[in-house]
Amino acid sequence: MKKIVISALALFVILFSGALSEEMYIPTAEGGVIYRETAVYYRTRALISELNVAYLDVDSPYLTKGVQTKFTVHATGGDGRYTYNFTIWHRTGRSGGLSYVASSGDTTSSSWFYTPNKDDGQYMLTIKLKDSAGSFIEWQSKVYETSTHASVQKAVSLAQECKKAATGDYARALWLHDWLIMNANYDYTYTYYYPEGVLLYGAGVCQSYALAYEMLLKLVDIECLYVTGEAGGESHGWNLVKIDGEWYHVDCTWDDPGTGGNEHHRYFCVPDEVIERDHKWRPTEAQNAVQIMPEATDRNRMYMIRSGADICKTVEDVIAILNEAVDARRGYAEIWYTGDADSFDFDAAFNKWYAQTGSRQVFTNCRYWAEDTDLQVEFDYGSGWPDRSVPVTMVIESEDGDMERGGSQSLLVLTVPSTADKSNLIWTSSDSSVVSVKNGLATAVNPGVCTITASHPGGAKAEIVMYVRSGSHLTIPSIVDTIEEEAFCDCALLEVVLIEPGVTEIKSRAFMNARLLLSVTIPDSVTRMGEDIFKGCERVVIQCSEGSCAHEYALKEGVEFRLLSK
């Protein structure tokens, strides 16, 4: 089991009423509450929650001599009228006590700025937080490295490599996750707790994975928090990652089981409801949970959903998916449970399917691996077990399907199995005069639409449609009564259309196959609309008034629309 050693409130600092200690001791990089006292007044006020430090924001993943660092505390509970006292500590080595460096004194500001005066060793912050009723806590941060340490320099190098190889927060979070799980293994000697373990020595406990991942993500400008709690009944650490305004759990350690060769993406970008099946981090649930973390509610970035893996909610779904895999003579099937229960009995589902295979049993042998959340099945059709480095399915994702002329972005390929080899993909463009592609890097050449294809020598293939913006806007004036049939059919560069009041009719196929078309504003004066007006316009949005002819047309034809305010 992946675990960390947690300090059992081992830091002893004289609190508000006493003198400031000149040294404190911290055995690990763990953060948390050192001391707490709740005002007696609160015992009669059930609606007031316990004073707590939710989490700490630091604007840099490491501290640099002479460079100002901003620390921001997010507090919860109490009466809401807080006073803060920040104290920074430092040690030259990597073990033993930390010495007092500086303090903010009492302040009502939740942020404090500090400029380090040392370029080696480790720093740590303690925070004394109290409210006007007299409740207070003392809280310590994790340990922060200094910029000269080799692990920081390695992280900076990896971040630069990541920025060149991946475009967008999701792709970069995935790239760095994959680097860690493919280049490090769990440290069963329990030697490496800090980022240098996984970054420099290829081994570390979960704390090493999580602290390194936090550092790496912050270096590519992605918000990331270090989470502590329990998993599998033992102390554990992992991360929360913020992508496009949503928080997701990422557990690099549990995605890298054993000593290598079994890496996966089961715990990449998952919401609370998924990871809480075997992880606990809320203070009321986990003994070692020390922070109140943001909620993670979005499921749409889970790797298994985005990669095209099969999903199920019932035993019948599993049976149908496995039958389809056998009919197609697929060597590998991966099925994920997306129902509401905490777990799903994949063993029972597989055995029920196997008992029913009968004439479908065209395979020589099969084997499976079942977890609470997923099922993996391999089939041997007489030529041996499948090669998991060869993808069964692939999906291409882009940071933004709309590109500006001259712009470029790295396309992301997600595969089933998730660890399939993507180094030998063959990339092609249906029209290189619109978008060219080389080794997954797409470059916008001219306005238009084209399809990018990634092909694997093993047979899997994926496509994505790319658009290069033209900026073309068309206004159809009120003196026009009717937009005739096929008036703008196949207009390759048309992007935005404004139809002025006075136009009364739009005839059939008027904008058919104008594939760049994004928006058409249709006034209430239009009372007649023909068939297939927007056929082939994959992303057009009709702007119209509620109850108008255009509104009714959009509802009938299944065209996306936005209602205009009257």
Side-chain angles (χ1 to χ4, degrees), residues 352-372:
K352 184 174 181 179
W353 166 79
Y354 191 82
Q356 295 178 3
T357 53
S359 60
R360 287 182 178 272
Q361 201 174 80
V362 296
F363 48 84
T364 303
N365 203 353
C366 71
R367 57 187 179 186
Y368 75 99
W369 296 260
E371 300 284 347
D372 288 343

Side-chain angles (χ1 to χ4, degrees), residues 441-455:
L441 180 66
T443 302
V445 181
N446 287 300
V449 184
C450 75
T451 300
I452 302 298
T453 302
S455 303

Side-chain angles (χ1 to χ4, degrees), residues 238-241 246-251 265-282 294-305 336-339 373:
W238 66 97
N239 300 99
L240 269 168
V241 179
E246 295 282 352
W247 287 98
Y248 304 91
H249 293 268
V250 177
D251 191 341
H265 295 77
R266 187 174 290 120
Y267 296 94
F268 181 77
C269 281
V270 298
D272 291 346
E273 64 178 315
V274 172
I275 202 167
E276 67 187 2
R277 292 168 178 166
D278 46 30
H279 288 56
K280 296 179 180 179
W281 65 96
R282 299 180 180 93
E295 292 185 351
T297 59
D298 182 56
R299 299 172 65 103
N300 294 325
R301 294 190 183 275
M302 293 175 64
Y303 188 97
M304 60 90 169
I305 290 178
W336 290 78
Y337 174 68
T338 58
T373 55

Side-chain angles (χ1 to χ4, degrees), residues 304 308-339 344 346 349-350 352-354 356-357 360 363 373-379 381 392-393 416:
M304 60 90 169
D310 291 306
I311 59 176
C312 74
K313 291 186 178 181
T314 66
V315 171
E316 289 69 28
D317 291 342
V318 175
I319 292 172
I321 292 166
L322 292 177
N323 283 339
E324 181 183 348
V326 171
D327 290 345
R329 297 183 70 84
R330 284 164 47 191
Y332 177 79
E334 186 174 302
I335 308 173
W336 290 78
Y337 174 68
T338 58
F344 184 78
F346 274 112
F350 177 86
K352 184 174 181 179
W353 166 79
Y354 191 82
Q356 295 178 3
T357 53
R360 287 182 178 272
F363 48 84
T373 55
D374 63 286
L375 174 71
Q376 301 172 52
V377 184
E378 290 184 353
F379 302 96
Y381 296 97
V392 175
T393 62
V416 176

Side-chain angles (χ1 to χ4, degrees), residues 3-133:
K3 64 180 182 179
I4 54 179
V5 177
I6 302 293
S7 169
L9 305 183
L11 306 184
F12 299 97
V13 180
I14 297 175
L15 298 174
F16 296 102
S17 59
L20 186 66
S21 171
E22 292 301 318
E23 185 172 80
M24 64 188 307
Y25 174 70
I26 175 168
T28 76
E30 197 65 33
V33 175
I34 304 170
Y35 182 83
R36 176 192 305 279
E37 185 170 314
T38 301
V40 175
Y41 175 57
Y42 284 168
R43 295 173 187 168
T44 63
R45 299 183 62 187
L47 293 179
I48 297 181
S49 60
E50 189 173 45
L51 184 65
N52 214 329
V53 172
Y55 58 94
L56 177 70
D57 272 339
V58 185
D59 65 357
S60 175
Y62 53 85
L63 275 63
T64 302
K65 181 180 179 180
V67 177
Q68 188 179 74
T69 301
K70 181 182 179 182
F71 300 92
T72 302
V73 176
H74 296 264
T76 62
D79 64 11
R81 296 186 292 273
Y82 305 133
T83 299
Y84 308 85
N85 191 306
F86 300 82
T87 302
I88 195 79
W89 306 79
H90 176 267
R91 65 183 175 197
T92 302
R94 307 188 66 71
S95 61
L98 291 95
S99 299
Y100 168 80
V101 177
S103 176
S104 67
D106 285 352
T107 175
T108 57
S109 173
S110 61
S111 295
W112 183 52
F113 296 86
Y114 172 70
T115 301
N117 58 6
K118 300 179 185 297
D119 60 3
D120 62 351
Q122 295 177 321
Y123 283 92
M124 190 184 70
L125 187 74
T126 56
I127 301 158
K128 295 176 182 177
L129 171 66
K130 58 184 177 181
D131 67 7
S132 63

Side-chain angles (χ1 to χ4, degrees), residues 185-196:
N185 290 313
Y186 191 77
D187 174 23
Y188 289 100
T189 67
Y190 305 110
T191 301
Y192 298 112
Y193 287 83
Y194 295 111
E196 71 259 27

Side-chain angles (χ1 to χ4, degrees), residues 36 68 80 85 166 235 297 339 359 371 383 430 505 511-512 521 528 535:
R36 176 192 305 279
Q68 188 179 74
N85 191 306
S235 301
T297 59
S359 60
E371 300 284 347
S383 57
S430 65
E505 182 178 7
F511 296 95
M512 187 170 70
T521 302
R528 296 181 302 279
K535 184 178 181 179

